[in-house]
Amino acid sequence: MLNFIDRWLNSITMYRLVLTSLMVITTVAIILAFWSLLPYSGISMIVSLLIIISSSLLFNWIFAKVLNAPTNLESATITAFILFLLLTPQLSVSFVQTALIAAILAMASKYLLAFHRKHWFNPAAVAAVILGLLGNGSVSWWVGSLVLLPITLPLGLLIVRKIRRFQMWFAFMVASLVAIGLDRKSVV
């Protein structure tokens, strides 16, 4: 079984695996929202996704043109999907403003915080940190939901298998479980 998985993982790029995984998680999340299994409306999620993807791709194109730099459409789309999973889906003018600012910040960081065409930081994380510092309360990892765990865990493990970082994953899991255990003891 692992040989089959490894052959499949070796036949696709990391960008394609991550992008496909994010698209699957997003699709499942939207379906679950329509079934009222997530605290957001399916319509607000679709509109939020369209705003974030279109603005991210637009600003990515603008920065690439202005800086005369090559662009990677898959990379920009991955950043847009991560932004979607970070920004709490809403139907409001303030959300549109936040989404536009996040897209500008993320895409700017792809070009301005890079060395030899490699990001120093995750562009979506840069946008989230700056939005947080600006006091914008709409940044949250809302996709970190138990109802989405059955889809995110296997997809995440495929990515871990692709990059062969199981030791890092196990260290993260142990640290997370210890932190959760300590947090639960402080509540009791």
Side-chain angles (χ1 to χ4, degrees):
M1 178 69 166
L2 283 179
N3 287 337
F4 171 77
I5 292 171
D6 287 338
R7 277 195 308 275
W8 178 71
L9 288 174
N10 289 334
S11 72
I12 60 173
T13 66
M14 179 55 122
Y15 282 115
R16 186 62 44 92
L17 176 61
V18 171
L19 181 56
T20 302
S21 296
L22 292 170
M23 291 170 76
V24 168
I25 292 167
T26 297
T27 302
V28 170
I30 290 170
I31 291 168
L32 293 176
F34 276 110
W35 289 346
S36 300
L37 294 173
L38 286 174
Y40 314 105
S41 78
I43 297 296
S44 70
M45 291 179 74
I46 291 171
V47 171
S48 298
L49 179 63
L50 292 174
I51 291 168
I52 291 168
I53 288 180
S54 60
S55 60
S56 293
L57 294 179
L58 172 67
F59 290 119
N60 183 67
W61 179 81
I62 290 170
F63 280 110
K65 287 292 182 195
V66 167
L67 298 172
N68 196 27
T71 185
N72 181 325
L73 186 59
E74 282 180 319
S75 175
T77 308
I78 287 168
T79 299
F81 271 96
I82 294 171
L83 284 175
F84 170 70
L85 300 173
L86 282 171
L87 300 176
T88 306
Q90 300 173 31
L91 293 176
S92 68
V93 173
S94 65
F95 175 80
V96 173
Q97 292 169 338
T98 299
L100 291 174
I101 292 168
I104 291 168
L105 292 170
M107 295 308 143
S109 76
K110 287 173 70 65
Y111 295 95
L112 302 177
L113 299 177
F115 185 70
H116 294 297
R117 298 184 184 159
K118 299 217 186 248
H119 309 141
W120 288 347
F121 306 101
N122 179 301
V126 169
V129 167
I130 294 172
L131 286 173
L133 292 173
L134 294 174
N136 187 302
S138 67
V139 176
S140 66
W141 188 242
W142 63 263
V143 75
S145 163
L146 282 178
V147 73
L148 285 167
L149 185 62
I151 195 74
T152 56
L153 182 61
L155 291 172
L157 288 173
L158 282 174
I159 293 169
V160 170
R161 179 85 179 171
K162 174 83 173 167
I163 62 174
R164 304 191 190 294
R165 295 281 199 276
F166 275 103
Q167 288 180 329
M168 186 181 299
W169 183 79
F170 283 121
F172 170 78
M173 291 305 294
V174 168
S176 295
L177 292 173
V178 167
I180 290 168
L182 292 173
D183 184 53
R184 298 228 187 250
K185 286 184 180 181
S186 69
V187 173
V188 176

